[in-house]
Amino acid sequence: MVIKITLLVVFFAVMVGIGIYCRKSATDVNGFVLGGRSVGPWLTAFAYGTSYFSAVIFVGYAGQFGWKFGIASTWIGIGNAFIGSLLAWIILGRRTRLQTQHLGTATMPEYFGKRFNSNALKIVASLIVFIFLIPYTASLYNGLSRLFEMAFPGVSYSVCVIVMAVLTGIYVIAGGYMATAINDFIQGIIMIVGIVAVIAAVLVGQGGFTAALEGLSKVECTTPSGSLLAGGFNSFSGPDPLGLFCVVVLTSLGTWGLPQMVQKFYAIKSEKQISKGTIISTIFAIIVAGGCYFLGGFGRLFSDSLDVVDGMPKDGFDAIIPTMLEKLPDILIGVVIVLVLSASMSTLSSLVLASSSTLTLDMIKGHIVKDMKDKQQVFVMRVFIVIFIAISAFIAINKDKLGYIADMMGISWGALAGSFLAPFLYGLYGKWVSKLSVWVNFIFGAGVMTLNMLFRESFPAFLQSPINCGAFVMIAGLIIVPVVSLITPKMKKQEVDEMFTCYDKDVIVPAKQSLGNN
């Protein structure tokens, strides 16, 4: 217990210290929300990765999908690395940075408002962000609860939640985006070291990698059709390839439409830094996401400790990872707690910053308060950070009323990315996107996921899963926007052409990037 508490005290002291150190860079909106658009590649890449992966991934997704798909769940981590990180940076990074600066936007809803010349779109987008970030935050805390109960059996979980919420609030309120980015970098290093150490310890406890694979091959596997499949849990595609594909789509392509993820591209400093950030972010995702799902793939080897009833752990999927870790040495348990706290605090800070900036800049400024000065905006954002953290802490303390971590994240990501991904992606590249197509996609994405949450049993069997439904609305949005744009009025040509002039500006580049005109 002394080791665990010492690690936590040191960890929290560093996080708060950095927040106080960065307070001078958070005196105006540009500095507080975007770090002055001067954040380097390492900080941006780690901020992107640590916002991506949290207790939701480590405890909820790794446990549930490792149990369902076995070692094939590693494909989810690979998809996160190459689709959710590499392709996201290549396809969105440069264009997002250029167009958002040209339009003078600091949030995703503000981007929609200016790109499609509609204040109503901006307000509705900000409401979607605020509403659907709440279940994501709930899933974040629910993952933490499982590990705290395992590591600190004598300590009140409510106290742990309150302490974590307060300390996260202090460094975000004090230092804004820059404090978050620096802390994300430190937290990311902890995550990399921690996941490698934990995987090694768990596999050693099972007799090594080969012995663990042999153990998985002996576990009976049932496919969705109800037939038995020998060796399904250590196979290339697992027992349910279609279900695996939907998880890859939701967790990988989904990042392209999440405001707290895309906003990282707003703040990066230069072209050179985007190239470096792409590589760093991808390597980070391979290690952390790939490692988490790889670890979860061996969950069925711990069936005796999980008390399995009718093929399901008695305490639910969210108990799998904590059960796998509970027999590790105390020092490693301490590392795991700091690892998951790192992942969760970085994601929480990103969520509260995205939510508070959206409410302030997109709903209050110019609508409720017509003439809102810069310092007033920063003050209001800080107030909303306190409110959002208080709400999330309340949800966490009442965690018994929550569902599975993966389901809550599925609802959140499905609604956000289902609403935003297609209009944002096409809006960066195509002048042809119509305003009405964005409205239709907002209503479809948020509407379908809301109905799934309220009337799940009325959906077709395959779409009753929030994961599958979230993947469905994302892919459908990529079809809806161009089809509706084809049959609805376009925006004024002169208006859209001006928005795209940022891509046509001449710049001088080295010969290795261009042969020139000769």
Side-chain angles (χ1 to χ4, degrees):
M1 188 65 71
V2 172
I3 293 172
K4 298 171 193 172
I5 292 176
T6 301
L7 286 171
L8 286 180
V9 169
V10 172
F11 173 75
F12 284 138
V14 171
M15 298 301 106
V16 173
I18 289 171
I20 295 170
Y21 172 77
C22 293
R23 68 189 185 281
K24 291 182 180 178
S25 66
T27 55
D28 58 17
V29 171
N30 190 44
F32 190 80
V33 179
L34 301 174
R37 294 189 189 266
S38 61
V39 183
W42 283 91
L43 294 185
T44 302
F46 271 68
Y48 185 91
T50 54
S51 297
Y52 197 164
F53 311 117
S54 65
V56 175
I57 300 293
F58 186 74
V59 178
Y61 270 43
Q64 179 166 335
F65 299 120
W67 185 268
K68 288 184 175 181
F69 306 127
I71 202 70
S73 64
T74 308
W75 283 112
I76 305 171
I78 295 172
N80 292 173
F82 289 98
I83 300 173
S85 295
L86 179 65
L87 285 181
W89 277 74
I90 291 173
I91 294 174
L92 300 180
R94 183 183 293 106
R95 281 187 170 252
T96 298
R97 176 66 173 79
L98 286 170
Q99 199 173 81
T100 56
Q101 184 175 26
H102 179 66
L103 296 176
T105 63
T107 68
M108 184 177 270
E110 190 178 16
Y111 169 81
F112 286 124
K114 290 193 176 180
R115 170 64 180 82
F116 298 102
N117 195 21
S118 170
N119 273 329
L121 270 179
K122 179 176 74 171
I123 293 170
V124 170
S126 65
L127 285 173
I128 293 173
V129 170
F130 181 74
I131 291 169
F132 287 100
L133 281 182
I134 291 175
Y136 187 20
T137 308
S139 64
L140 183 81
Y141 278 114
N142 202 2
L144 277 173
S145 73
R146 298 286 184 164
L147 285 173
F148 268 109
E149 288 167 356
M150 178 267 291
F152 299 100
V155 178
S156 168
Y157 166 69
S158 298
V159 172
C160 295
V161 168
I162 292 169
V163 169
M164 192 198 85
V166 169
L167 293 175
T168 302
I170 288 172
Y171 82 72
V172 178
I173 291 168
Y177 182 81
M178 185 60 75
T180 300
I182 295 173
N183 276 329
D184 286 349
F185 179 71
I186 295 170
Q187 291 160 351
I189 293 172
I190 294 170
M191 289 166 68
I192 290 173
V193 173
I195 195 66
V196 171
V198 168
I199 290 172
V202 170
L203 289 181
V204 167
Q206 294 297 314
F209 177 60
T210 303
L213 279 181
E214 288 177 359
L216 277 181
S217 69
K218 298 172 184 176
V219 180
E220 284 193 352
C221 176
T222 305
T223 65
S225 63
S227 59
L228 290 176
L229 178 66
F233 290 121
N234 71 340
S235 70
F236 178 79
S237 58
D240 182 11
L242 181 58
L244 179 61
F245 172 76
C246 287
V247 179
V248 172
V249 170
L250 179 81
T251 61
S252 302
L253 195 60
T255 60
W256 296 27
L258 296 180
Q260 74 272 20
M261 302 296 296
V262 173
Q263 199 163 322
K264 301 297 184 291
F265 299 133
Y266 290 32
I268 201 163
K269 188 175 182 180
S270 67
E271 170 73 26
K272 183 179 179 182
Q273 314 239 341
I274 289 176
S275 302
K276 287 182 179 178
T278 303
I279 297 169
I280 297 165
S281 177
T282 304
I283 294 172
F284 180 87
I286 290 172
I287 297 171
V288 175
C292 286
Y293 288 109
F294 177 75
L295 175 66
F298 295 98
R300 287 191 179 257
L301 297 181
F302 296 79
S303 295
D304 293 342
S305 302
L306 285 164
D307 192 14
V308 178
V309 179
D310 295 328
M312 291 274 291
K314 187 178 179 181
D315 294 328
F317 293 120
D318 301 339
I320 295 172
I321 295 296
T323 300
M324 294 175 70
L325 304 177
E326 63 186 2
K327 294 182 180 178
L328 294 179
D330 282 347
I331 184 67
L332 269 181
I333 294 290
V335 169
V336 169
I337 294 299
V338 175
L339 182 162
V340 177
L341 269 173
S342 296
S344 300
M345 287 179 71
S346 60
T347 305
L348 177 61
S349 63
S350 179
L351 295 179
V352 298
L353 200 56
S355 182
S356 65
S357 59
T358 289
L359 286 174
T360 303
L361 301 178
D362 303 328
M363 290 193 68
I364 295 179
K365 178 187 173 185
H367 298 97
I368 298 174
V369 180
K370 296 296 182 183
D371 184 20
M372 199 174 189
K373 300 193 181 328
D374 201 85
K375 288 188 177 180
Q376 289 177 310
Q377 295 172 45
V378 174
F379 174 77
V380 172
M381 278 189 271
R382 285 174 164 145
V383 171
F384 275 125
I385 287 172
V386 173
I387 293 171
F388 193 86
I389 287 180
I391 293 172
S392 65
F394 175 80
I395 293 171
I397 291 169
N398 292 276
K399 64 185 176 61
D400 293 337
K401 299 177 183 178
L402 305 176
Y404 284 135
I405 293 172
D407 289 347
M408 288 186 289
M409 181 175 164
I411 291 168
S412 177
W413 281 38
L416 290 167
S419 301
F420 299 152
L421 188 157
F424 185 74
L425 175 63
Y426 290 133
L428 289 176
Y429 279 86
K431 298 179 181 181
W432 46 265
V433 183
S434 72
K435 188 184 302 182
L436 187 57
S437 72
V438 181
W439 276 114
V440 171
N441 203 71
F442 279 12
I443 294 167
F444 177 79
V448 170
M449 294 310 300
T450 301
L451 292 172
N452 180 272
M453 182 170 55
L454 299 175
F455 308 105
R456 190 164 298 162
E457 294 180 358
S458 301
F459 276 64
F462 181 73
L463 293 180
Q464 287 182 11
S465 162
I467 311 298
N468 296 345
C469 193
F472 166 73
V473 296
M474 286 182 205
I475 294 173
L478 294 172
I479 300 170
I480 288 171
V481 171
V483 169
V484 175
S485 294
L486 192 64
I487 58 176
T488 54
K490 305 294 184 292
M491 294 180 65
K492 294 178 182 178
K493 184 177 185 301
Q494 183 179 357
E495 201 173 64
V496 180
D497 284 346
E498 196 283 326
M499 294 178 188
F500 278 72
T501 56
C502 58
Y503 300 141
D504 300 325
K505 182 180 177 182
D506 291 332
V507 294
I508 299 173
V509 298
K512 64 182 179 182
Q513 293 182 22
S514 173
L515 295 176
N517 297 321
N518 296 331

